[in-house]
Amino acid sequence: EATVESITGFSLEPRALWLHVTGSSEVAPVLKVDDAKLNATVRVLAEELRVEPVDASAVFEGAALVTTPAVIGHELKIEDAKDVIEAEWLTESRPIALPTTETEPDLTQSELDAFVSGTVEPLLAGPVTVVVGDHQIPLDPAVLASAQTITTDTGEFVLTTTPQILHDAVMTLDPTLSTEPINARFDWNDAGPVLVPGADGVGIDAQAVSDAIMAATKTPERVAETDAVTVPPEVTTEYLESMGITEMIVHFSTPLTSEPTRTQNIRHATEFITGTLVPPGGRFDTLAVIGPITYANGYIDSGMVINGLHIDGLGGGLSQIGTTTFNAGFEAGYIDVEHHPHSYWFTRYPAGREATLSVPTKNVIWENDTPYGALLRAYVSGGRVYIEVW
């Protein structure tokens, strides 16, 4: 009605009067739009037409960098699209081109290109020669790449180096670069424990050689120089000296039976116990020290008591080790953390001072609550099993 009214309605405007008499050309229709419905429809359309952007990505495969290009996204400009539809839906040809806007990915193609040209290409441009004294060790690009991880958590491409990988690669190519340190230890003579000093080794520092290698990838010479360093032992002479091992405070024994397989298990367990050092505040865990109780670890079947029945089982006889180690901690005055009496008393053990072992539920554990280390020695002799605490 508004469209017809615009053509035929009363007017004294001369041009309108002339057109009434002579006729007129096409007239644009007057539209009435339900904005709420149009808005809802266009928003649904916007969801259907949205193209999400795709981040650029990069990952090393061997010495090659595999990249995925970025994809620019698109989304409808809702208000502008509503205006275009309103203007063109009735009179213009199909399809109607709706206005969109580009959406950039978080990691753009230009950022990837800059990362590749500025960081990756120099890294893979050729081998790097590591120089340590008169040693020269070339690392090819595949080795360099194997130590790298590309992350994007910060919103940009970041190359992270794992120093230990480069260190291990250098040492594998030239094992003569290092000598292993020797731990200090206690040995034994007739008078008791003797401290055998440790010795430093020689090697290269993982972080230092990694830093030198990565710096070299940015130079024309591609030479990474680093120095050999002293590698201290895990157990130093000073550490063992600080334990204050000077005298024997416990010498305890229990009698063996006549069963040879049982004695064999006990003797084997004493080999693990001898030399065990329990530092101040540390714990002696019997099963952890003598275990695992397996055939592969040297134990055999022998007599044992299970639920009051005498049977043959793996590690039979080791409960005597439980009683002996319990009494070592008891006589030393250490804290009793865990022990379990046998199901009945064996007269070869002190009454009220015996303990059994059973994997994994019954153990003997005591804690050294003194300021001195506790060094243990165990052995079988003269039909008895002995344990000493120094």
Side-chain angles (χ1 to χ4, degrees), residues 90-237:
L90 183 61
T91 59
E92 300 299 322
S93 61
R94 302 292 191 268
I96 299 173
L98 300 181
T100 61
T101 183
E102 292 184 347
T103 53
E104 288 279 353
D106 293 331
L107 298 167
T108 66
Q109 188 64 40
S110 60
E111 290 172 326
L112 174 60
D113 293 342
F115 173 70
V116 171
S117 61
T119 302
V120 178
E121 289 179 354
L123 174 74
L124 305 179
V128 168
T129 301
V130 178
V131 177
V132 185
D134 58 356
H135 297 257
Q136 295 189 9
I137 306 96
L139 299 181
D140 62 38
V143 174
L144 301 177
S146 69
Q148 312 303 321
T149 303
I150 299 172
T151 58
T152 57
D153 298 340
T154 60
E156 58 184 4
F157 291 97
V158 176
L159 190 67
T160 302
T161 305
T162 303
Q164 195 63 43
I165 293 177
L166 294 177
H167 169 274
D168 293 349
V170 172
M171 299 307 301
T172 299
L173 291 170
D174 189 352
T176 64
L177 278 174
S178 72
T179 57
E180 290 295 322
I182 300 173
N183 283 333
R185 72 183 194 281
F186 285 105
D187 208 344
W188 301 88
N189 61 24
D190 293 339
V194 177
L195 197 160
V196 179
D200 291 334
V202 176
I204 55 175
D205 181 74
Q207 189 63 57
V209 73
S210 175
D211 291 344
I213 291 169
M214 295 308 294
T217 63
K218 300 177 176 64
T219 66
E221 297 78 15
R222 299 182 74 81
V223 173
E225 295 188 5
T226 190
D227 296 322
V229 296
T230 299
V231 181
E234 291 184 6
V235 181
T236 66
T237 304

Side-chain angles (χ1 to χ4, degrees), residues 252-274 286 289-291 293 297-304 313-325 342 348-349 355 357 377-381 383-387:
F252 181 83
S253 68
T254 53
L256 298 170
T257 69
S258 59
E259 189 174 353
T261 54
R262 186 176 184 278
T263 298
Q264 183 174 334
N265 281 331
I266 292 171
R267 178 180 283 108
H268 189 55
T270 64
E271 296 170 356
F272 293 110
I273 295 171
T274 296
T286 305
V289 171
I290 70 173
I293 313 301
N297 200 31
Y299 292 103
I300 59 175
D301 290 328
S302 188
M304 60 172 59
L314 177 61
L318 290 180
S319 283
Q320 185 160 353
I321 290 292
T323 291
T324 311
T325 57
H342 290 82
R348 61 180 175 270
Y349 302 143
L357 294 176
R377 182 187 188 189
Y379 56 92
V380 169
S381 177
R384 302 181 73 86
V385 56
Y386 290 86
I387 189 164

